[in-house]
Amino acid sequence: KLAAISLSDEITEISTGLFKECSSLEKVTLSEKTTKIGSYAFSRCTALVAIELPNSITEIGTCAFSMCSKLTSIVVPNKVTEIAEEVFSDCVALNSIVLPDGLTGIGNYAFSNCNGLISVTIGNGVTSIGHDAFCECVGLTNITIPDSVSSLGDYAFYGCSGLTSVIIGNGVTAIG
């Protein structure tokens, strides 16, 4: 029945699976000193609508926010260098993502089945997009792959039936 969390400055890390399946959790406020969100930390928090990731975050673990079906937008902090596998998979209400320039990789299935996703901004530091990274994002209508990206994994945009415009940067040398 936990509905909201506000973490103190002493909390620097959210452990693996800490709030997993807290189905009533709607709002999370992290400390400005939080640096790591462990794998599955908020997975299946189906009521989670809002979480602001502080700039201190450097790591977000596998499936950390998977199946957070009411989460609508996310801004990934500048210090995060990689989006792990399935971090935001099945976040069906997610409609907007901003990925910073400091990010270098987008993991496999990172945003798969985010049906409501309509806006993705990929930072200029990203060099690789994993397989199935955006598969089944049916709401996505356009995407711009920056020049920094050298490889697109297999099925990266599989099932994105709404895509009408794809701009692929000059750096891409491999398309799965």
Side-chain angles (χ1 to χ4, degrees):
K1 297 186 185 212
L2 181 65
I5 306 167
S6 183
L7 299 175
S8 74
D9 283 345
E10 284 111 34
I11 309 294
T12 59
E13 184 175 316
I14 308 297
S15 299
T16 297
L18 186 63
F19 297 105
K20 183 179 180 183
E21 296 181 11
C22 287
S23 59
S24 298
L25 185 60
E26 295 178 12
K27 184 172 175 44
V28 176
T29 304
L30 299 176
S31 156
E32 286 296 324
K33 294 185 179 178
T34 304
T35 59
K36 179 182 177 184
I37 298 173
S39 297
Y40 298 93
F42 297 98
S43 179
R44 296 182 184 225
C45 290
T46 54
L48 185 62
V49 175
I51 185 165
E52 186 174 325
L53 301 178
N55 287 328
S56 56
I57 297 286
T58 59
E59 183 180 341
I60 304 171
T62 302
C63 297
F65 295 97
S66 64
M67 296 185 212
C68 290
S69 55
K70 291 191 179 176
L71 188 63
T72 58
S73 67
I74 198 80
V75 175
V76 176
N78 290 328
K79 292 180 181 177
V80 174
T81 58
E82 187 169 347
I83 298 292
E85 292 188 8
E86 298 184 58
V87 171
F88 298 102
S89 65
D90 297 296
C91 291
V92 295
L94 190 63
N95 61 41
S96 173
I97 307 164
V98 177
L99 302 173
D101 288 343
L103 191 72
T104 59
I106 299 172
N108 302 333
Y109 299 99
F111 299 97
S112 65
N113 297 312
C114 291
N115 302 340
L117 190 59
I118 55 174
S119 174
V120 177
T121 302
I122 299 175
N124 291 319
V126 174
T127 58
S128 66
I129 297 175
H131 72 75
D132 297 279
F134 294 94
C135 74
E136 301 296 340
C137 292
V138 297
L140 196 57
T141 58
N142 62 66
I143 189 86
T144 298
I145 309 297
D147 290 342
S148 60
V149 174
S150 61
S151 66
L152 294 172
D154 294 342
Y155 304 102
F157 297 97
Y158 174 80
C160 293
S161 56
L163 269 179
T164 58
S165 171
V166 178
I167 298 171
I168 299 175
N170 294 327
V172 174
T173 58
I175 297 177

mmCIF file of all heavy atoms in Angstrom, residues 63-119:
data_model
loop_
_atom_site.group_PDB
_atom_site.id
_atom_site.type_symbol
_atom_site.label_atom_id
_atom_site.label_comp_id
_atom_site.label_asym_id
_atom_site.label_seq_id
_atom_site.Cartn_x
_atom_site.Cartn_y
_atom_site.Cartn_z
ATOM 1 N N CYS A 63 16.227 -3.810 -16.179
ATOM 2 C CA CYS A 63 14.799 -3.896 -15.825
ATOM 3 C C CYS A 63 14.389 -2.985 -14.664
ATOM 4 O O CYS A 63 13.361 -3.210 -14.025
ATOM 5 C CB CYS A 63 14.391 -5.336 -15.495
ATOM 6 S SG CYS A 63 14.556 -6.485 -16.863
ATOM 7 N N ALA A 64 15.164 -1.957 -14.375
ATOM 8 C CA ALA A 64 14.899 -1.100 -13.215
ATOM 9 C C ALA A 64 13.483 -0.529 -13.201
ATOM 10 O O ALA A 64 12.872 -0.404 -12.148
ATOM 11 C CB ALA A 64 15.918 0.029 -13.151
ATOM 12 N N PHE A 65 12.955 -0.176 -14.371
ATOM 13 C CA PHE A 65 11.612 0.401 -14.455
ATOM 14 C C PHE A 65 10.704 -0.410 -15.383
ATOM 15 O O PHE A 65 9.667 0.094 -15.818
ATOM 16 C CB PHE A 65 11.686 1.846 -14.947
ATOM 17 C CG PHE A 65 12.400 2.767 -13.999
ATOM 18 C CD1 PHE A 65 13.738 3.073 -14.194
ATOM 19 C CD2 PHE A 65 11.743 3.300 -12.910
ATOM 20 C CE1 PHE A 65 14.411 3.908 -13.307
ATOM 21 C CE2 PHE A 65 12.408 4.142 -12.021
ATOM 22 C CZ PHE A 65 13.745 4.445 -12.222
ATOM 23 N N SER A 66 11.051 -1.629 -15.676
ATOM 24 C CA SER A 66 10.231 -2.429 -16.598
ATOM 25 C C SER A 66 8.826 -2.623 -16.038
ATOM 26 O O SER A 66 8.635 -2.759 -14.830
ATOM 27 C CB SER A 66 10.884 -3.777 -16.870
ATOM 28 O OG SER A 66 10.961 -4.550 -15.692
ATOM 29 N N MET A 67 7.868 -2.568 -16.916
ATOM 30 C CA MET A 67 6.451 -2.769 -16.602
ATOM 31 C C MET A 67 5.866 -1.718 -15.656
ATOM 32 O O MET A 67 4.909 -1.990 -14.937
ATOM 33 C CB MET A 67 6.214 -4.168 -16.056
ATOM 34 C CG MET A 67 6.519 -5.244 -17.069
ATOM 35 S SD MET A 67 6.082 -6.852 -16.441
ATOM 36 C CE MET A 67 7.320 -7.837 -17.246
ATOM 37 N N CYS A 68 6.428 -0.526 -15.661
ATOM 38 C CA CYS A 68 5.823 0.602 -14.929
ATOM 39 C C CYS A 68 4.807 1.211 -15.898
ATOM 40 O O CYS A 68 5.103 2.162 -16.625
ATOM 41 C CB CYS A 68 6.886 1.614 -14.502
ATOM 42 S SG CYS A 68 7.973 1.002 -13.206
ATOM 43 N N SER A 69 3.640 0.639 -15.935
ATOM 44 C CA SER A 69 2.667 0.900 -16.992
ATOM 45 C C SER A 69 2.033 2.289 -16.979
ATOM 46 O O SER A 69 1.368 2.659 -17.936
ATOM 47 C CB SER A 69 1.580 -0.171 -16.985
ATOM 48 O OG SER A 69 0.982 -0.245 -15.710
ATOM 49 N N LYS A 70 2.248 3.091 -15.930
ATOM 50 C CA LYS A 70 1.692 4.454 -15.918
ATOM 51 C C LYS A 70 2.751 5.545 -16.028
ATOM 52 O O LYS A 70 2.420 6.721 -16.086
ATOM 53 C CB LYS A 70 0.851 4.663 -14.663
ATOM 54 C CG LYS A 70 -0.429 3.856 -14.681
ATOM 55 C CD LYS A 70 -1.366 4.253 -13.580
ATOM 56 C CE LYS A 70 -2.638 3.424 -13.691
ATOM 57 N NZ LYS A 70 -3.548 3.705 -12.590
ATOM 58 N N LEU A 71 4.013 5.159 -16.077
ATOM 59 C CA LEU A 71 5.103 6.123 -16.214
ATOM 60 C C LEU A 71 5.014 6.765 -17.601
ATOM 61 O O LEU A 71 4.979 6.065 -18.603
ATOM 62 C CB LEU A 71 6.445 5.405 -16.040
ATOM 63 C CG LEU A 71 7.697 6.254 -15.950
ATOM 64 C CD1 LEU A 71 7.647 7.152 -14.721
ATOM 65 C CD2 LEU A 71 8.929 5.360 -15.892
ATOM 66 N N THR A 72 4.953 8.104 -17.653
ATOM 67 C CA THR A 72 4.715 8.778 -18.932
ATOM 68 C C THR A 72 5.946 9.416 -19.572
ATOM 69 O O THR A 72 5.997 9.545 -20.794
ATOM 70 C CB THR A 72 3.633 9.865 -18.791
ATOM 71 O OG1 THR A 72 4.048 10.804 -17.809
ATOM 72 C CG2 THR A 72 2.290 9.250 -18.422
ATOM 73 N N SER A 73 6.903 9.849 -18.777
ATOM 74 C CA SER A 73 8.087 10.467 -19.387
ATOM 75 C C SER A 73 9.308 10.248 -18.505
ATOM 76 O O SER A 73 9.186 10.038 -17.301
ATOM 77 C CB SER A 73 7.867 11.967 -19.629
ATOM 78 O OG SER A 73 7.773 12.655 -18.414
ATOM 79 N N ILE A 74 10.463 10.330 -19.141
ATOM 80 C CA ILE A 74 11.714 10.138 -18.404
ATOM 81 C C ILE A 74 12.812 10.966 -19.049
ATOM 82 O O ILE A 74 12.885 11.063 -20.266
ATOM 83 C CB ILE A 74 12.104 8.639 -18.340
ATOM 84 C CG1 ILE A 74 13.112 8.368 -17.241
ATOM 85 C CG2 ILE A 74 12.582 8.117 -19.662
ATOM 86 C CD1 ILE A 74 12.515 8.259 -15.883
ATOM 87 N N VAL A 75 13.601 11.599 -18.203
ATOM 88 C CA VAL A 75 14.798 12.302 -18.655
ATOM 89 C C VAL A 75 15.965 11.598 -17.981
ATOM 90 O O VAL A 75 16.055 11.559 -16.757
ATOM 91 C CB VAL A 75 14.773 13.797 -18.267
ATOM 92 C CG1 VAL A 75 16.078 14.475 -18.646
ATOM 93 C CG2 VAL A 75 13.594 14.504 -18.924
ATOM 94 N N VAL A 76 16.825 11.009 -18.779
ATOM 95 C CA VAL A 76 17.969 10.272 -18.249
ATOM 96 C C VAL A 76 19.075 11.275 -17.923
ATOM 97 O O VAL A 76 19.434 12.093 -18.771
ATOM 98 C CB VAL A 76 18.448 9.215 -19.265
ATOM 99 C CG1 VAL A 76 19.699 8.509 -18.758
ATOM 100 C CG2 VAL A 76 17.331 8.212 -19.537
ATOM 101 N N PRO A 77 19.612 11.233 -16.705
ATOM 102 C CA PRO A 77 20.666 12.187 -16.303
ATOM 103 C C PRO A 77 21.928 12.080 -17.154
ATOM 104 O O PRO A 77 22.246 11.014 -17.694
ATOM 105 C CB PRO A 77 20.960 11.794 -14.849
ATOM 106 C CG PRO A 77 19.749 11.067 -14.386
ATOM 107 C CD PRO A 77 19.223 10.363 -15.592
ATOM 108 N N ASN A 78 22.663 13.182 -17.220
ATOM 109 C CA ASN A 78 23.862 13.278 -18.060
ATOM 110 C C ASN A 78 24.982 12.315 -17.684
ATOM 111 O O ASN A 78 25.794 11.956 -18.521
ATOM 112 C CB ASN A 78 24.423 14.709 -18.033
ATOM 113 C CG ASN A 78 23.525 15.672 -18.761
ATOM 114 O OD1 ASN A 78 22.875 15.302 -19.727
ATOM 115 N ND2 ASN A 78 23.477 16.903 -18.292
ATOM 116 N N LYS A 79 25.052 11.904 -16.426
ATOM 117 C CA LYS A 79 26.146 11.038 -15.977
ATOM 118 C C LYS A 79 25.919 9.562 -16.302
ATOM 119 O O LYS A 79 26.823 8.747 -16.160
ATOM 120 C CB LYS A 79 26.374 11.205 -14.480
ATOM 121 C CG LYS A 79 26.917 12.574 -14.102
ATOM 122 C CD LYS A 79 27.132 12.681 -12.606
ATOM 123 C CE LYS A 79 27.648 14.054 -12.235
ATOM 124 N NZ LYS A 79 27.785 14.190 -10.775
ATOM 125 N N VAL A 80 24.726 9.203 -16.744
ATOM 126 C CA VAL A 80 24.450 7.816 -17.127
ATOM 127 C C VAL A 80 25.085 7.577 -18.484
ATOM 128 O O VAL A 80 24.832 8.310 -19.432
ATOM 129 C CB VAL A 80 22.925 7.532 -17.175
ATOM 130 C CG1 VAL A 80 22.640 6.139 -17.704
ATOM 131 C CG2 VAL A 80 22.310 7.719 -15.801
ATOM 132 N N THR A 81 25.921 6.531 -18.572
ATOM 133 C CA THR A 81 26.633 6.275 -19.820
ATOM 134 C C THR A 81 26.009 5.154 -20.641
ATOM 135 O O THR A 81 26.295 5.032 -21.823
ATOM 136 C CB THR A 81 28.112 5.933 -19.575
ATOM 137 O OG1 THR A 81 28.186 4.796 -18.713
ATOM 138 C CG2 THR A 81 28.848 7.116 -18.965
ATOM 139 N N GLU A 82 25.162 4.341 -20.013
ATOM 140 C CA GLU A 82 24.543 3.251 -20.759
ATOM 141 C C GLU A 82 23.153 2.946 -20.221
ATOM 142 O O GLU A 82 22.924 2.943 -19.021
ATOM 143 C CB GLU A 82 25.400 1.990 -20.673
ATOM 144 C CG GLU A 82 24.888 0.888 -21.559
ATOM 145 C CD GLU A 82 25.864 -0.266 -21.700
ATOM 146 O OE1 GLU A 82 27.037 -0.135 -21.319
ATOM 147 O OE2 GLU A 82 25.425 -1.305 -22.206
ATOM 148 N N ILE A 83 22.241 2.706 -21.150
ATOM 149 C CA ILE A 83 20.905 2.236 -20.791
ATOM 150 C C ILE A 83 20.984 0.712 -20.836
ATOM 151 O O ILE A 83 21.224 0.137 -21.896
ATOM 152 C CB ILE A 83 19.831 2.748 -21.776
ATOM 153 C CG1 ILE A 83 19.757 4.271 -21.768
ATOM 154 C CG2 ILE A 83 18.474 2.122 -21.464
ATOM 155 C CD1 ILE A 83 19.231 4.885 -20.501
ATOM 156 N N ALA A 84 20.819 0.073 -19.694
ATOM 157 C CA ALA A 84 20.941 -1.381 -19.599
ATOM 158 C C ALA A 84 19.768 -2.074 -20.303
ATOM 159 O O ALA A 84 18.792 -1.432 -20.703
ATOM 160 C CB ALA A 84 20.998 -1.805 -18.131
ATOM 161 N N GLU A 85 19.863 -3.386 -20.401
ATOM 162 C CA GLU A 85 18.809 -4.175 -21.042
ATOM 163 C C GLU A 85 17.477 -4.015 -20.312
ATOM 164 O O GLU A 85 17.429 -4.026 -19.087
ATOM 165 C CB GLU A 85 19.194 -5.653 -21.069
ATOM 166 C CG GLU A 85 20.351 -5.931 -21.989
ATOM 167 C CD GLU A 85 20.599 -7.417 -22.171
ATOM 168 O OE1 GLU A 85 19.793 -8.241 -21.701
ATOM 169 O OE2 GLU A 85 21.613 -7.738 -22.802
ATOM 170 N N GLU A 86 16.436 -3.847 -21.091
ATOM 171 C CA GLU A 86 15.044 -3.837 -20.625
ATOM 172 C C GLU A 86 14.722 -2.820 -19.533
ATOM 173 O O GLU A 86 13.739 -2.967 -18.817
ATOM 174 C CB GLU A 86 14.643 -5.236 -20.139
ATOM 175 C CG GLU A 86 14.708 -6.290 -21.218
ATOM 176 C CD GLU A 86 14.211 -7.631 -20.741
ATOM 177 O OE1 GLU A 86 13.042 -7.707 -20.288
ATOM 178 O OE2 GLU A 86 14.981 -8.606 -20.817
ATOM 179 N N VAL A 87 15.521 -1.774 -19.406
ATOM 180 C CA VAL A 87 15.315 -0.797 -18.337
ATOM 181 C C VAL A 87 13.893 -0.243 -18.330
ATOM 182 O O VAL A 87 13.265 -0.143 -17.285
ATOM 183 C CB VAL A 87 16.338 0.357 -18.417
ATOM 184 C CG1 VAL A 87 15.981 1.473 -17.449
ATOM 185 C CG2 VAL A 87 17.723 -0.159 -18.108
ATOM 186 N N PHE A 88 13.376 0.114 -19.486
ATOM 187 C CA PHE A 88 12.035 0.696 -19.573
ATOM 188 C C PHE A 88 11.092 -0.165 -20.418
ATOM 189 O O PHE A 88 10.088 0.323 -20.922
ATOM 190 C CB PHE A 88 12.111 2.113 -20.157
ATOM 191 C CG PHE A 88 12.919 3.064 -19.310
ATOM 192 C CD1 PHE A 88 14.215 3.395 -19.667
ATOM 193 C CD2 PHE A 88 12.394 3.606 -18.153
ATOM 194 C CE1 PHE A 88 14.980 4.252 -18.888
ATOM 195 C CE2 PHE A 88 13.143 4.469 -17.362
ATOM 196 C CZ PHE A 88 14.439 4.790 -17.730
ATOM 197 N N SER A 89 11.387 -1.425 -20.568
ATOM 198 C CA SER A 89 10.532 -2.287 -21.391
ATOM 199 C C SER A 89 9.132 -2.393 -20.800
ATOM 200 O O SER A 89 8.953 -2.373 -19.584
ATOM 201 C CB SER A 89 11.146 -3.681 -21.539
ATOM 202 O OG SER A 89 11.193 -4.344 -20.295
ATOM 203 N N ASP A 90 8.155 -2.436 -21.669
ATOM 204 C CA ASP A 90 6.745 -2.570 -21.294
ATOM 205 C C ASP A 90 6.207 -1.404 -20.469
ATOM 206 O O ASP A 90 5.258 -1.565 -19.709
ATOM 207 C CB ASP A 90 6.503 -3.898 -20.558
ATOM 208 C CG ASP A 90 6.787 -5.083 -21.451
ATOM 209 O OD1 ASP A 90 6.079 -5.243 -22.464
ATOM 210 O OD2 ASP A 90 7.722 -5.845 -21.147
ATOM 211 N N CYS A 91 6.797 -0.240 -20.612
ATOM 212 C CA CYS A 91 6.251 0.986 -20.000
ATOM 213 C C CYS A 91 5.297 1.570 -21.040
ATOM 214 O O CYS A 91 5.651 2.484 -21.795
ATOM 215 C CB CYS A 91 7.371 1.963 -19.642
ATOM 216 S SG CYS A 91 8.412 1.418 -18.288
ATOM 217 N N VAL A 92 4.101 1.031 -21.099
ATOM 218 C CA VAL A 92 3.178 1.300 -22.197
ATOM 219 C C VAL A 92 2.674 2.739 -22.253
ATOM 220 O O VAL A 92 2.252 3.204 -23.315
ATOM 221 C CB VAL A 92 1.990 0.312 -22.185
ATOM 222 C CG1 VAL A 92 2.471 -1.103 -22.453
ATOM 223 C CG2 VAL A 92 1.217 0.384 -20.871
ATOM 224 N N ALA A 93 2.717 3.477 -21.153
ATOM 225 C CA ALA A 93 2.268 4.874 -21.158
ATOM 226 C C ALA A 93 3.407 5.851 -21.431
ATOM 227 O O ALA A 93 3.166 7.037 -21.640
ATOM 228 C CB ALA A 93 1.600 5.227 -19.829
ATOM 229 N N LEU A 94 4.633 5.347 -21.443
ATOM 230 C CA LEU A 94 5.788 6.205 -21.679
ATOM 231 C C LEU A 94 5.655 6.842 -23.057
ATOM 232 O O LEU A 94 5.530 6.152 -24.063
ATOM 233 C CB LEU A 94 7.077 5.373 -21.604
ATOM 234 C CG LEU A 94 8.399 6.120 -21.601
ATOM 235 C CD1 LEU A 94 8.511 7.006 -20.371
ATOM 236 C CD2 LEU A 94 9.552 5.135 -21.640
ATOM 237 N N ASN A 95 5.632 8.185 -23.086
ATOM 238 C CA ASN A 95 5.452 8.858 -24.372
ATOM 239 C C ASN A 95 6.639 9.726 -24.774
ATOM 240 O O ASN A 95 6.742 10.138 -25.908
ATOM 241 C CB ASN A 95 4.149 9.668 -24.405
ATOM 242 C CG ASN A 95 4.107 10.751 -23.356
ATOM 243 O OD1 ASN A 95 5.090 11.436 -23.115
ATOM 244 N ND2 ASN A 95 2.968 10.895 -22.708
ATOM 245 N N SER A 96 7.545 9.980 -23.834
ATOM 246 C CA SER A 96 8.651 10.881 -24.131
ATOM 247 C C SER A 96 9.927 10.423 -23.409
ATOM 248 O O SER A 96 9.895 10.137 -22.221
ATOM 249 C CB SER A 96 8.273 12.288 -23.661
ATOM 250 O OG SER A 96 9.352 13.166 -23.778
ATOM 251 N N ILE A 97 11.032 10.385 -24.163
ATOM 252 C CA ILE A 97 12.325 10.013 -23.610
ATOM 253 C C ILE A 97 13.352 11.016 -24.100
ATOM 254 O O ILE A 97 13.407 11.330 -25.288
ATOM 255 C CB ILE A 97 12.799 8.639 -24.112
ATOM 256 C CG1 ILE A 97 11.767 7.567 -23.891
ATOM 257 C CG2 ILE A 97 14.120 8.247 -23.458
ATOM 258 C CD1 ILE A 97 12.057 6.319 -24.705
ATOM 259 N N VAL A 98 14.187 11.486 -23.176
ATOM 260 C CA VAL A 98 15.332 12.317 -23.542
ATOM 261 C C VAL A 98 16.579 11.585 -23.059
ATOM 262 O O VAL A 98 16.727 11.318 -21.863
ATOM 263 C CB VAL A 98 15.248 13.721 -22.914
ATOM 264 C CG1 VAL A 98 16.490 14.530 -23.257
ATOM 265 C CG2 VAL A 98 13.994 14.447 -23.387
ATOM 266 N N LEU A 99 17.453 11.233 -24.009
ATOM 267 C CA LEU A 99 18.690 10.532 -23.702
ATOM 268 C C LEU A 99 19.846 11.502 -23.893
ATOM 269 O O LEU A 99 19.981 12.093 -24.960
ATOM 270 C CB LEU A 99 18.846 9.311 -24.608
ATOM 271 C CG LEU A 99 17.686 8.297 -24.528
ATOM 272 C CD1 LEU A 99 17.845 7.209 -25.577
ATOM 273 C CD2 LEU A 99 17.609 7.699 -23.139
ATOM 274 N N PRO A 100 20.703 11.665 -22.881
ATOM 275 C CA PRO A 100 21.738 12.703 -22.910
ATOM 276 C C PRO A 100 22.900 12.410 -23.858
ATOM 277 O O PRO A 100 23.109 11.270 -24.278
ATOM 278 C CB PRO A 100 22.232 12.726 -21.459
ATOM 279 C CG PRO A 100 22.046 11.323 -20.997
ATOM 280 C CD PRO A 100 20.766 10.861 -21.660
ATOM 281 N N ASP A 101 23.688 13.438 -24.133
ATOM 282 C CA ASP A 101 24.859 13.312 -25.001
ATOM 283 C C ASP A 101 25.927 12.401 -24.395
ATOM 284 O O ASP A 101 26.698 11.779 -25.114
ATOM 285 C CB ASP A 101 25.471 14.683 -25.299
ATOM 286 C CG ASP A 101 24.610 15.498 -26.252
ATOM 287 O OD1 ASP A 101 23.741 14.911 -26.923
ATOM 288 O OD2 ASP A 101 24.806 16.720 -26.314
ATOM 289 N N GLY A 102 25.990 12.299 -23.074
ATOM 290 C CA GLY A 102 26.995 11.468 -22.415
ATOM 291 C C GLY A 102 26.724 9.974 -22.521
ATOM 292 O O GLY A 102 27.591 9.154 -22.240
ATOM 293 N N LEU A 103 25.533 9.626 -22.933
ATOM 294 C CA LEU A 103 25.147 8.226 -23.074
ATOM 295 C C LEU A 103 25.859 7.624 -24.278
ATOM 296 O O LEU A 103 25.911 8.235 -25.338
ATOM 297 C CB LEU A 103 23.634 8.156 -23.278
ATOM 298 C CG LEU A 103 22.980 6.793 -23.199
ATOM 299 C CD1 LEU A 103 22.963 6.309 -21.758
ATOM 300 C CD2 LEU A 103 21.567 6.865 -23.729
ATOM 301 N N THR A 104 26.422 6.405 -24.108
ATOM 302 C CA THR A 104 27.120 5.787 -25.228
ATOM 303 C C THR A 104 26.378 4.590 -25.813
ATOM 304 O O THR A 104 26.591 4.257 -26.976
ATOM 305 C CB THR A 104 28.542 5.330 -24.826
ATOM 306 O OG1 THR A 104 28.433 4.403 -23.748
ATOM 307 C CG2 THR A 104 29.398 6.517 -24.421
ATOM 308 N N GLY A 105 25.532 3.938 -25.030
ATOM 309 C CA GLY A 105 24.854 2.763 -25.553
ATOM 310 C C GLY A 105 23.436 2.596 -25.045
ATOM 311 O O GLY A 105 23.119 2.980 -23.920
ATOM 312 N N ILE A 106 22.600 2.038 -25.905
ATOM 313 C CA ILE A 106 21.218 1.704 -25.557
ATOM 314 C C ILE A 106 21.123 0.193 -25.631
ATOM 315 O O ILE A 106 21.336 -0.400 -26.690
ATOM 316 C CB ILE A 106 20.217 2.372 -26.521
ATOM 317 C CG1 ILE A 106 20.347 3.905 -26.450
ATOM 318 C CG2 ILE A 106 18.781 1.933 -26.195
ATOM 319 C CD1 ILE A 106 19.546 4.656 -27.487
ATOM 320 N N GLY A 107 20.831 -0.446 -24.505
ATOM 321 C CA GLY A 107 20.844 -1.898 -24.408
ATOM 322 C C GLY A 107 19.703 -2.593 -25.128
ATOM 323 O O GLY A 107 18.728 -1.977 -25.565
ATOM 324 N N ASN A 108 19.832 -3.904 -25.219
ATOM 325 C CA ASN A 108 18.823 -4.746 -25.849
ATOM 326 C C ASN A 108 17.475 -4.600 -25.135
ATOM 327 O O ASN A 108 17.429 -4.568 -23.904
ATOM 328 C CB ASN A 108 19.258 -6.210 -25.801
ATOM 329 C CG ASN A 108 20.591 -6.448 -26.470
ATOM 330 O OD1 ASN A 108 20.988 -5.723 -27.377
ATOM 331 N ND2 ASN A 108 21.298 -7.468 -26.030
ATOM 332 N N TYR A 109 16.432 -4.476 -25.911
ATOM 333 C CA TYR A 109 15.053 -4.378 -25.404
ATOM 334 C C TYR A 109 14.827 -3.185 -24.462
ATOM 335 O O TYR A 109 13.845 -3.162 -23.719
ATOM 336 C CB TYR A 109 14.635 -5.665 -24.673
ATOM 337 C CG TYR A 109 14.640 -6.900 -25.520
ATOM 338 C CD1 TYR A 109 15.712 -7.783 -25.473
ATOM 339 C CD2 TYR A 109 13.586 -7.190 -26.374
ATOM 340 C CE1 TYR A 109 15.730 -8.932 -26.258
ATOM 341 C CE2 TYR A 109 13.591 -8.335 -27.161
ATOM 342 C CZ TYR A 109 14.665 -9.206 -27.095
ATOM 343 O OH TYR A 109 14.686 -10.330 -27.859
ATOM 344 N N ALA A 110 15.705 -2.215 -24.452
ATOM 345 C CA ALA A 110 15.646 -1.109 -23.494
ATOM 346 C C ALA A 110 14.275 -0.428 -23.425
ATOM 347 O O ALA A 110 13.791 -0.100 -22.349
ATOM 348 C CB ALA A 110 16.724 -0.077 -23.810
ATOM 349 N N PHE A 111 13.654 -0.205 -24.578
ATOM 350 C CA PHE A 111 12.358 0.471 -24.632
ATOM 351 C C PHE A 111 11.324 -0.381 -25.380
ATOM 352 O O PHE A 111 10.346 0.145 -25.900
ATOM 353 C CB PHE A 111 12.493 1.836 -25.313
ATOM 354 C CG PHE A 111 13.423 2.767 -24.586
ATOM 355 C CD1 PHE A 111 14.744 2.906 -24.991
ATOM 356 C CD2 PHE A 111 12.989 3.479 -23.480
ATOM 357 C CE1 PHE A 111 15.611 3.750 -24.311
ATOM 358 C CE2 PHE A 111 13.852 4.327 -22.796
ATOM 359 C CZ PHE A 111 15.161 4.457 -23.207
ATOM 360 N N SER A 112 11.524 -1.670 -25.405
ATOM 361 C CA SER A 112 10.606 -2.542 -26.152
ATOM 362 C C SER A 112 9.198 -2.492 -25.563
ATOM 363 O O SER A 112 9.016 -2.352 -24.361
ATOM 364 C CB SER A 112 11.118 -3.980 -26.164
ATOM 365 O OG SER A 112 11.134 -4.519 -24.863
ATOM 366 N N ASN A 113 8.230 -2.558 -26.439
ATOM 367 C CA ASN A 113 6.807 -2.551 -26.068
ATOM 368 C C ASN A 113 6.347 -1.293 -25.339
ATOM 369 O O ASN A 113 5.408 -1.334 -24.563
ATOM 370 C CB ASN A 113 6.456 -3.795 -25.223
ATOM 371 C CG ASN A 113 6.668 -5.066 -25.994
ATOM 372 O OD1 ASN A 113 6.237 -5.193 -27.138
ATOM 373 N ND2 ASN A 113 7.365 -6.002 -25.394
ATOM 374 N N CYS A 114 7.006 -0.190 -25.605
ATOM 375 C CA CYS A 114 6.548 1.103 -25.078
ATOM 376 C C CYS A 114 5.577 1.663 -26.118
ATOM 377 O O CYS A 114 5.918 2.534 -26.921
ATOM 378 C CB CYS A 114 7.731 2.039 -24.832
ATOM 379 S SG CYS A 114 8.794 1.530 -23.471
ATOM 380 N N ASN A 115 4.379 1.130 -26.119
ATOM 381 C CA ASN A 115 3.375 1.414 -27.150
ATOM 382 C C ASN A 115 3.029 2.888 -27.305
ATOM 383 O O ASN A 115 2.705 3.349 -28.388
ATOM 384 C CB ASN A 115 2.091 0.636 -26.871
ATOM 385 C CG ASN A 115 2.321 -0.847 -26.807
ATOM 386 O OD1 ASN A 115 3.311 -1.355 -27.300
ATOM 387 N ND2 ASN A 115 1.415 -1.564 -26.173
ATOM 388 N N GLY A 116 3.071 3.635 -26.221
ATOM 389 C CA GLY A 116 2.694 5.043 -26.258
ATOM 390 C C GLY A 116 3.820 5.983 -26.626
ATOM 391 O O GLY A 116 3.623 7.197 -26.721
ATOM 392 N N LEU A 117 5.005 5.453 -26.837
ATOM 393 C CA LEU A 117 6.176 6.285 -27.109
ATOM 394 C C LEU A 117 6.021 7.035 -28.430
ATOM 395 O O LEU A 117 5.855 6.431 -29.483
ATOM 396 C CB LEU A 117 7.426 5.410 -27.143
ATOM 397 C CG LEU A 117 8.764 6.120 -27.181
ATOM 398 C CD1 LEU A 117 8.933 7.028 -25.974
ATOM 399 C CD2 LEU A 117 9.894 5.104 -27.230
ATOM 400 N N ILE A 118 6.053 8.364 -28.352
ATOM 401 C CA ILE A 118 5.932 9.182 -29.555
ATOM 402 C C ILE A 118 7.147 10.087 -29.776
ATOM 403 O O ILE A 118 7.378 10.556 -30.880
ATOM 404 C CB ILE A 118 4.643 10.037 -29.559
ATOM 405 C CG1 ILE A 118 4.550 10.895 -28.311
ATOM 406 C CG2 ILE A 118 3.414 9.162 -29.693
ATOM 407 C CD1 ILE A 118 3.385 11.866 -28.285
ATOM 408 N N SER A 119 7.935 10.305 -28.722
ATOM 409 C CA SER A 119 9.065 11.219 -28.838
ATOM 410 C C SER A 119 10.318 10.618 -28.203
ATOM 411 O O SER A 119 10.315 10.289 -27.019
ATOM 412 C CB SER A 119 8.734 12.551 -28.167
ATOM 413 O OG SER A 119 9.853 13.402 -28.150
#
